[in-house]
């Protein structure tokens, strides 16, 4: 399962980044699991979502 750049992938990245911003600094995989992300989603999308969350937080 690889992110294919489709709408579902972008939506998942955006949702995960928003969850990371909501949790704040020190967001963990457990925090993301509580936001209904699967371990596979966290592994695949986590690094890019973290970059997006950082950009979102800096823009705010």
């Amino acid at each position: 399962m690889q992110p294919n750049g489709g709408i579902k992938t972008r939506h998942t990245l955006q949702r995960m980044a928003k969850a990371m911003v909501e949790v704040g600094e020190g967001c963990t995989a457990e925090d993301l699991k509580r936001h209904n992300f699967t371990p596979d989603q966290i592994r695949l999308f986590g690094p890019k979502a973290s970059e997006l969350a950082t950009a979102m937080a800096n823009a705010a």
Side-chain angles (χ1 to χ4, degrees):
M1 179 162 125
Q2 287 292 323
N4 62 8
I7 292 171
K8 187 174 182 180
T9 297
R10 285 191 300 263
H11 179 71
T12 302
L13 281 170
Q14 290 171 345
R15 279 191 323 110
M16 190 177 289
K18 287 179 183 178
M20 289 176 168
V21 170
E22 182 181 313
V23 170
E25 190 173 337
C27 180
T28 66
E30 290 302 315
D31 294 321
L32 294 175
K33 286 178 188 175
R34 285 190 284 276
H35 279 85
N36 299 317
F37 291 101
T38 67
D40 282 341
Q41 287 174 320
I42 295 167
R43 181 178 51 78
L44 288 172
F45 301 117
K48 287 290 184 189
S50 181
E51 291 175 18
L52 180 57
T54 299
M56 291 166 62
N58 287 339

